[in-house]
Every structure is written in C-alpha cells, then in structure tokens.
Amino acid sequence: MPDFWSTYEKSFDKKISNDIKSVRFVVLDTETTGFDYDNDRILCIGAIGLQNNTITIKDSLEVFVHQEHYNIESAKIHGILKKGKIERLSEKEALKQLLEYLGNSILVAHHTKFDVTMINRALERHGLPKLKNKALDTAVLYKKALLTTTLMEKKEQYTLDDLADKFDISKEDRHTAIGDSYITAIAFQKILNRMKYKKEPTLKDLFK
C-alpha cells in the first residue's frame, strides 16, 4: 500500500469523541460525468471542515480530476469543460489529497451513498481499499428533524434544493462541488439545531 494510505489508515487509531462539539466533520460533494458507478468518473471533489458548529472556509479542499471519460450532457449541469484552463490532477493524486484531508473525520453529504460509492470505485481502480470514515446523510437527518419537530407530511426524497429553499440558503454556487458542500454544511448546521433531544445530542444520536 502507498504511504498516504497507511497514514490515512493510522489516523483511525485515534478514537473519535462522542461529543459533537469536538468532532471534526467534513462536508463533501463530488461532481461527476454521470450517475453510473461502473462507467462514470469523478471530475471534481469539494469538501469543507465543520467543527464546534462552525464552518471553517480555510479548512477546505477543492480538486479537479483529469478524466478521459467525459459526458457533454452532464457538463451542462456542473459546467466543467473537458479542455478548460482549470488545473487538473490525476485521479490517484486527487485521492491522495482527499485522504490526507479527511483523516478520521466524520463524512457528511447529501445522498451520501452516491459520493462515497464514486470515491470507493476510484480507490478500487488504484488497488486501494474503501473509505473507512463513518458517514452521515443530510437527506436522512432532515427527515429525522422533521419527525421530531413537526407533523407536516413527509416526502420520500428531499433534494439539496429542497433544503436550500427550506433554510433560505443561497444557491448561487449550486452544482459546483465546493458550492454544494457549503450549502450542505449550512443545512447540516440548521438540521442539528432543529433536532430536539432531552439533552445535548451526541455523535451516537446522529447515527441512530
């Protein structure tokens, strides 16, 4: 295994506190060529750190990935051009930077399964194991918050646009990886503030 994977793996030797205020969350989003786990590829990864209910813009990561596979239809959504001037890293180098940035943090994303699966498929292509981080999904947490705060009718699925509209979050940078990460981070904060518990929630409460 490469050194960067060994370093990432060792970061999990440190136990994560159950106190939410001390936990480092990494709110993450990927922009991809499409939604096919086997054939599509990651074009950009955006991530923002959040700790003690504070979003730290300086603690962020944005990497663009060089890919031979490209889909002009998805480009109409994310706006990443095949031959744009943006500096692109190899997929392996992008994964290296991501793992170094993540460490043992708790992952947060909207519809987490997609982003995590796309990253895991990329890791697999380079002979690396799957991500070890625990992950939370703001779509699932939002449903939990609704169940504890209101009797309003629930939807089967909530999009990131739904959450942005509900919490009055600007969608100016929507459909960019770093922009969607920022929207998700704010939504995550709002959701935590709305979840009602008899006492301060713990990390274990979020995973129940």
Side-chain angles (χ1 to χ4, degrees), residues 53-93:
N53 205 31
T54 301
I55 298 169
T56 310
I57 299 300
K58 289 183 179 179
D59 179 15
S60 62
L61 175 76
E62 184 179 38
V63 291
F64 290 85
V65 188
H66 174 75
Q67 301 287 5
E68 292 300 328
H69 178 69
Y70 192 77
N71 184 338
I72 192 65
E73 291 303 313
S74 66
K76 295 175 183 178
I77 299 172
H78 53 63
I80 301 172
L81 302 177
K82 184 174 178 61
K83 295 184 179 180
K85 295 181 180 179
I86 299 171
E87 181 183 356
R88 291 170 168 84
L89 305 178
S90 68
E91 188 174 73
K92 187 172 183 179
E93 177 60 27

Side-chain angles (χ1 to χ4, degrees), residues 106-120:
I106 303 295
L107 276 178
V108 180
H110 195 75
H111 296 144
T112 313
K113 180 182 177 182
F114 175 76
D115 298 292
V116 169
T117 302
M118 288 298 289
I119 293 168
N120 282 338

